[in-house]
């Protein structure tokens, strides 16, 4: 598999209404690691449909989160994307909940290496592939995903984000 997922491969996310998935790699942020993108595609999907990213909890069960949102995505007409950070590819809290902010010695990693970049990278790739014409997206995170979302917004800002909800985090980062 190439180091970067070609935009054309993302068409698998909208291949049919309902549940879809495809691997995603970006060698600049997490070289050698793959995130599975789980999608809930509505029947009435178009490139103008809203895009919502959902971040799973500590159970690393992105397919379950995607499946939970299937009926809501269909009802509301939005494209739901769940970046599934497997424990094998992104072990423990440093890589997921804590976004790869610091290295093993406790030094700050450059922002270009933070896993918090995932939504921006995927959204840009969706735009490059013509899957969306939208300029903004929404976010939802639950449990560890809530920690991911609120830290992402804290450290990267809200550029490109229409709305965000962080639910039931086990801990919060205070400014």
């Amino acid at each position: 598999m190439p180091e970067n997922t070609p935009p054309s491969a993302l068409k698998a996310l909208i291949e049919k209404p309902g549940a879809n998935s495809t691997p995603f790699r970006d060698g600049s942020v997490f070289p050698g690691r793959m995130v599975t993108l789980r999608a809930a595609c509505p029947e009435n999907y178009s490139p103008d449909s809203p895009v919502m990213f959902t971040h799973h909890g500590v159970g690393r069960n992105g397919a379950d989160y995607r499946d939970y949102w299937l009926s809501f995505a269909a009802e509301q007409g939005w494209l739901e994307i769940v970046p599934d950070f497997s424990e094998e590819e992104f072990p423990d809290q440093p890589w997921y909940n804590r976004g790869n902010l610091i290295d093993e010695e406790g030094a700050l990693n450059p922002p270009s290496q933070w896993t918090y970049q995932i939504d921006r990278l995927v959204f840009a790739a969706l735009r490059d592939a013509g899957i969306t014409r939208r300029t903004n997206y929404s976010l939802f995170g639950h449990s560890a995903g809530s920690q991911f979302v609120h830290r992402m917004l804290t450290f990267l800002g809200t550029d490109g984000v229409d709305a965000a909800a962080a639910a039931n985090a086990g801990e919060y980062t205070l400014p």
Side-chain angles (χ1 to χ4, degrees):
M1 177 161 252
E3 191 61 35
N4 288 327
T5 298
S8 60
L10 296 175
K11 300 276 187 191
L13 298 173
I14 57 167
E15 185 173 40
K16 64 186 182 337
N20 298 298
S21 63
T22 194
F24 182 81
R25 293 181 188 270
D26 186 295
S28 64
V29 176
F30 33 84
R33 298 174 195 271
M34 188 262 307
V35 173
T36 300
L37 300 177
R38 313 277 183 190
C41 183
E43 184 87 32
N44 62 347
Y45 161 79
S46 83
D48 295 315
S49 297
V51 176
M52 168 103 128
F53 287 94
T54 291
H55 289 275
H56 57 70
V58 72
R60 309 292 183 107
N61 53 338
D64 293 336
Y65 277 75
R66 184 258 334 266
D67 293 348
Y68 177 80
W69 285 96
L70 279 169
S71 63
F72 297 108
E75 182 181 298
Q76 298 300 317
W78 71 58
L79 178 63
E80 182 78 29
I81 307 282
V82 181
D84 198 343
F85 286 88
S86 73
E87 183 70 35
E88 296 79 29
E89 298 275 343
F90 298 90
D92 303 319
Q93 288 187 1
W95 275 100
Y96 183 49
N97 316 35
R98 301 212 170 115
N100 196 37
L101 281 174
I102 58 172
D103 66 19
E104 291 178 5
E105 288 79 40
L108 187 64
N109 283 323
S112 63
Q113 294 177 8
W114 297 350
T115 53
Y116 296 137
Q117 301 285 352
I118 188 69
D119 296 339
R120 290 177 178 183
L121 292 169
V122 171
F123 191 71
L126 293 173
R127 286 182 51 83
D128 289 347
I131 293 170
T132 187
R133 288 190 286 258
R134 304 289 288 216
T135 56
N136 294 323
Y137 54 89
S138 298
L139 298 169
F140 174 79
H142 174 256
S143 187
S146 175
Q147 294 175 43
F148 188 92
V149 165
H150 87 261
R151 289 181 182 130
M152 175 197 327
L153 296 173
T154 298
F155 295 116
L156 293 179
T158 59
D159 287 348
V161 177
D162 276 333
N168 305 315
E171 61 184 44
Y172 290 92
T173 301
L174 299 174

